[in-house]
Amino acid sequence: PRDASLAGRHVLVTAGPTHEPIDPVRYIANRSSGRQGYAIAGALAALGARVTLVSGPVALPTPAQVTRVDVETAREMAAAVEAALPADAAVMVAAVADWRAEDAAGQKIKKTGDAPAALRLVENPDILATLGRGAARPRLVVGFAAETEKVTEHAAAKLARKGADWIVANDVSGDVMGGASNAVHLVTATGVETWERLPKDEVARRLADRIAAALR
Ligand code: C5P
């Protein structure tokens, strides 16, 4: 590693979307390329951390020195996060689907020619809130918030609601999704720090440095 400031630390990262099956060929998902989360996992490993990356379905290579656990659904992600504890820090970057189909059909739902089939949704577990308020809470818990308006206000509310120490708020009103750069605000109990638009790799490096400093 170029700097071993996270040597001996275990950091848990979630990334990517989750896919919630409707039937064997259809699913519900949030838009997410996984790029920012993967960059963060790589940057943490480059500082010497042992990194567990719990990943939804993405088309990205595993960063060097990172242990990757692949999952599909939010409930699988929640279980994988639980299984990866304890951790010194957690960075929850995944775009978890808020809802899933109450009963995923075992067979492909057919068009009947009549009205479309109704889809009954139930809420998924909030993985970040569960971790942030749980007994095995990592010392530092970082969440992400994709917002299209009132970015920092929504993020500050999320901080308290989810029991996180920091929320990295990103303004996704532009073309952040799948893109190479990101404009973020670091929201903590003491205030809001606005970073200039940066390549996702650079956002990741800066965040990893801040995490190393916070755990020191
Ligand atoms: O509430 P919202 O989805 O905007 O919160 C985003 C943050 O919460 C992200 O850090 C995301 O990874 C996490 N989250 C989660 N489980 C959910 C929903 C969001 O861990 N079910």
Side-chain angles (χ1 to χ4, degrees), residues 56-177:
V58 297
L60 292 171
T62 307
Q65 306 300 322
V66 166
T67 301
R68 172 170 165 184
V69 180
D70 284 314
V71 298
E72 187 182 1
T73 68
R75 286 183 295 174
E76 288 168 8
M77 186 172 277
V81 163
E82 183 75 29
L85 295 173
D88 298 289
V91 190
M92 314 299 267
V93 197
V96 181
D98 293 304
W99 307 282
R100 65 176 182 273
E102 186 173 43
D103 296 300
Q107 302 296 331
K108 183 179 176 185
I109 300 166
K110 304 306 288 181
K111 285 181 281 189
T112 59
D114 305 329
L119 195 55
R120 195 190 294 275
L121 301 178
V122 293
E123 211 167 320
N124 268 329
D126 191 314
I127 301 163
L128 171 57
T130 303
L131 190 73
R133 308 197 168 288
R137 186 190 195 279
R139 187 139 69 83
L140 182 70
V141 175
V142 183
F144 265 66
E147 304 287 354
T148 55
E149 55 167 10
K150 297 187 189 156
V151 177
T152 54
E153 290 94 313
H154 285 148
K158 210 157 283 186
L159 200 63
R161 198 166 67 239
K162 303 218 182 203
D165 298 298
W166 305 346
I167 293 281
V168 180
N170 54 340
D171 187 339
V172 294
S173 57
D175 64 347
V176 173
M177 298 289 186

